[in-house]
Amino acid sequence: MGRGSRSKLWIVLIVLALVAAAGFLGYRAWRSAEQRSLIVSGLPRRPPLDRARPELKARVAQAEEEARHGADPLGALQTLSRLYDANGYAEAAAKCYERLSQLEPEEPRWPHLRATVLAGFGQLEEAVPLWVSVLRRAPDYLPARIRLADALLKLNRVDEAQQTYRDVLSHDPRSTYARLGLARCEMEKQLWSQAEENLTKAVQADPNFSAAWQLLASLAEKRGDTAAAASAQREAAKGQRYQDIPDAWADALLEDCYDPYKLRVAAATMESGSNVAGAQRALQRALTLAPNDPAAHRELGRLLLDQGNIGGAREQLDKATALAPDDSENWIGLFKLASAAHDSAEMKRVVLAGLSHCPNSPTLRLEHGRQLLADGDAKAALAEFNEAKRLRPNEPDALVQIGIAYLYLGDTAHGIAAMQDVLRVQPDHPMALLTLARFTIDAGNEREARQWIDRLRQQTRTRPEDVREISALFQQRFGAAP
């Protein structure tokens, strides 16, 4: 091929490449214009934002402008969906998620978040197929599986719900939410013993899971065991109120939340789900928005204390007490901090300072009584314990301390009577049972001592070392194991 022919060939190839490039760019431009058209047509009507923070209003307006005219309309729609969902504008968020699902059909977050919004509106029939589609794309995302099971159960599709909860447990055998749901299915089918087994496993995994304790109380009432029902109700009262399941995709929305109260509630949920880092971020954001919120300072301080960050906890709890000195919870937080630092002088200072602002705090009265008792002033301690009892009559801790104070004073009759009063308020209180078991062993009453130890062993909150110690005392006194 001659030089002229080769030159012509190169010219043809360059022209073809330019035509192809122009066609590709034209196709991309057409696709981009089509995407923008879909996004703009899918923008929800802006909800009333009269009471919203100025920052939120500005970000919503900016996201809408970006969606219509910016370089990244898809990213703008994603931002808008988060802003609406994170701040309580659920209907507008659902419309954003619907359009995002059309634009990104393989992304499981959009149908999951939309289904969560629809379920909140009670539209379970619409939510169920969305969660089914989520699990096709993300089969290991357990929050979606649990939400699907919950929706199926509410729709009375019990068999499907039961199987879905079992699927969760096959991935995570310790899932308290799945155990609870499975027990509810079994109760619907009147499979009482199976339901009780699952609920028992749930509270064994999390002794503070109140919802499971409440159902255990219902089962005990059904079989006529009033003592077990009352015990389960007391355990429910000690635990946390029912909280929504931890959901990483929903939790991520909190970065765009402008409601400090909602952030505090979300932090509590994340902490209960062992997402301590997420809880800390939520509280820090709440304080960015509301730097003078004493409750947020207190909760962050408590969280830092649990992590062993004494200095950070002190800073937050000092701020909480300075902002709200009449809130006893803030002083109690500082007391726990001093206790964790083993600073007895600071513990005394905090209790006295707290009582000067909150004289009607039964918890601070109780702690002051304990300090007086430790210092050997049993009579003054007894007065504080009685005041704590007056302020909170149905609280067993004050009665326990009253009994201990009487025993310290050598008044065995009143001490044992106080411990029996504890059991009238809370029949399974470990300290009262332990004290009465020890008293009957010392008195040489083998039959009663055995009964107290049996009751002690049946309690879920009894420490194993206490059972071992009292059993050893029994064997030493009577020559046989209880």
Side-chain angles (χ1 to χ4, degrees):
M1 182 182 294
R3 181 179 298 175
S5 298
R6 285 198 297 272
S7 297
K8 290 178 182 179
L9 177 59
W10 277 111
I11 291 170
V12 170
L13 290 173
I14 290 169
V15 169
L16 289 173
L18 289 172
V19 169
F24 176 71
L25 291 173
Y27 174 76
R28 285 191 61 184
W30 174 79
R31 288 288 296 168
S32 178
E34 182 185 42
Q35 183 189 70
R36 188 184 299 279
S37 176
L38 281 171
I39 289 170
V40 171
S41 66
L43 289 175
R45 183 188 298 275
R46 188 187 297 185
L49 300 175
D50 300 340
R51 298 183 180 180
R53 287 175 173 263
E55 308 97 309
L56 175 58
K57 293 179 184 179
R59 289 194 64 196
V60 167
Q62 181 182 4
E64 288 179 344
E65 178 65 18
E66 287 288 326
R68 290 188 172 94
H69 307 294
D72 184 13
L74 181 61
L77 182 61
Q78 292 171 356
T79 298
L80 195 62
S81 72
R82 293 196 304 271
L83 289 170
Y84 281 146
D85 201 354
N87 293 284
Y89 303 102
E91 187 174 351
K95 290 182 179 178
C96 292
Y97 292 141
E98 183 177 14
R99 187 51 50 98
L100 285 167
S101 294
Q102 296 170 359
L103 294 163
E104 295 186 297
E106 296 306 311
E107 173 55 64
R109 286 178 300 158
W110 311 134
H112 173 68
L113 293 171
R114 183 177 172 225
T116 302
V117 170
L118 293 175
F121 289 146
Q123 298 173 236
L124 298 176
E125 293 283 4
E126 294 89 337
V128 163
L130 291 174
W131 274 315
V132 171
S133 72
V134 171
L135 293 172
R136 282 199 297 268
R137 302 167 205 173
D140 294 332
Y141 193 63
L142 298 187
R145 200 173 291 276
I146 291 173
R147 292 193 189 279
L148 171 60
D150 289 346
L152 290 168
L153 180 56
K154 289 175 183 176
L155 290 170
N156 204 32
R157 293 162 62 175
V158 181
D159 289 339
E160 294 171 79
Q162 192 171 24
Q163 184 56 53
T164 307
Y165 287 126
R166 286 173 177 159
D167 291 342
V168 174
L169 289 169
S170 69
H171 289 81
D172 179 11
R174 289 181 60 83
S175 172
T176 54
Y177 291 92
R179 290 282 178 201
L180 179 71
L182 189 56
R184 284 176 170 153
C185 293
E186 289 158 349
M187 289 173 73
E188 285 290 323
K189 296 183 174 184
Q190 300 185 5
L191 301 173
W192 312 120
S193 60
Q194 293 177 29
E196 185 169 11
E197 180 182 353
N198 275 302
L199 292 170
T200 301
K201 288 180 179 178
V203 296
Q204 287 171 345
D206 181 2
N208 292 315
F209 194 36
S210 289
W213 282 115
Q214 287 165 355
L215 285 186
L216 280 169
S218 297
L219 288 174
E221 287 173 357
K222 188 174 290 293
R223 65 172 182 266
D225 190 341
T226 55
S231 175
Q233 286 289 3
R234 286 190 296 273
E235 294 295 335
K238 296 175 190 174
Q240 300 170 331
R241 64 178 179 81
Y242 183 80
Q243 294 178 326
D244 201 5
I245 60 172
D247 185 339
W249 293 347
D251 291 345
L253 300 171
L254 295 174
E255 297 175 8
D256 293 290
C257 179
Y258 288 86
D259 183 344
Y261 175 76
K262 185 176 180 180
L263 287 163
R264 280 172 38 214
V265 172
T269 301
M270 286 189 284
E271 185 186 2
S272 70
S274 301
N275 184 4
V276 176
Q280 186 170 332
R281 286 194 301 271
L283 289 170
Q284 287 169 334
R285 178 165 176 78
L287 286 169
T288 300
L289 297 168
N292 292 325
D293 182 353
H297 281 295
R298 180 180 66 243
E299 290 307 305
L300 181 56
R302 185 186 53 75
L303 195 65
L304 292 171
L305 178 58
D306 289 344
Q307 295 175 268
N309 184 346
I310 300 294
R314 187 182 306 281
E315 179 184 0
Q316 296 301 324
L317 290 166
D318 280 341
K319 287 179 180 177
T321 50
L323 288 164
D326 57 345
D327 187 340
S328 63
E329 290 298 319
N330 297 330
W331 295 104
I332 292 166
L334 272 178
F335 173 81
K336 290 178 179 177
L337 172 66
S339 179
H342 306 290
D343 189 340
S344 58
E346 177 65 4
M347 289 165 66
K348 290 180 179 179
R349 185 199 71 80
V350 167
V351 167
L352 290 174
L355 283 171
S356 72
H357 292 281
C358 312
N360 292 325
S361 167
T363 301
L364 291 174
R365 289 285 177 192
L366 203 59
E367 293 302 339
H368 190 215
R370 287 191 177 107
Q371 291 174 354
L372 291 167
L373 190 62
D375 290 340
D377 193 347
K379 288 185 177 179
L382 187 59
E384 285 292 80
F385 296 145
N386 277 311
E387 180 64 6
K389 176 188 173 184
R390 184 189 70 79
L391 292 166
R392 194 181 288 161
N394 295 322
E395 173 59 55
D397 287 350
L399 290 169
V400 169
Q401 294 302 321
I402 288 170
I404 291 172
Y406 274 126
L407 292 172
Y408 188 95
L409 288 166
D411 189 342
T412 304
H414 280 97
I416 295 304
M419 291 300 176
Q420 290 169 338
D421 284 342
V422 173
L423 296 181
R424 279 189 277 275
V425 174
Q426 184 177 327
D428 53 1
H429 195 287
M431 178 61 76
L433 292 172
L434 193 64
T435 302
L436 290 166
R438 187 183 298 273
F439 172 73
T440 49
I441 290 171
D442 291 342
N445 190 330
E446 181 178 354
R447 183 181 62 82
E448 283 193 25
R450 192 186 299 276
Q451 290 173 348
W452 290 123
I453 293 173
D454 284 344
R455 285 180 63 176
L456 191 65
R457 284 172 169 164
Q458 293 169 17
Q459 309 315 316
T460 57
R461 295 177 185 265
T462 299
R463 298 189 309 169
E465 57 267 34
D466 288 337
V467 175
R468 288 195 294 269
E469 182 182 349
I470 199 68
S471 297
L473 285 174
F474 182 97
Q475 184 156 8
Q476 181 179 352
R477 181 72 169 81
F478 301 114

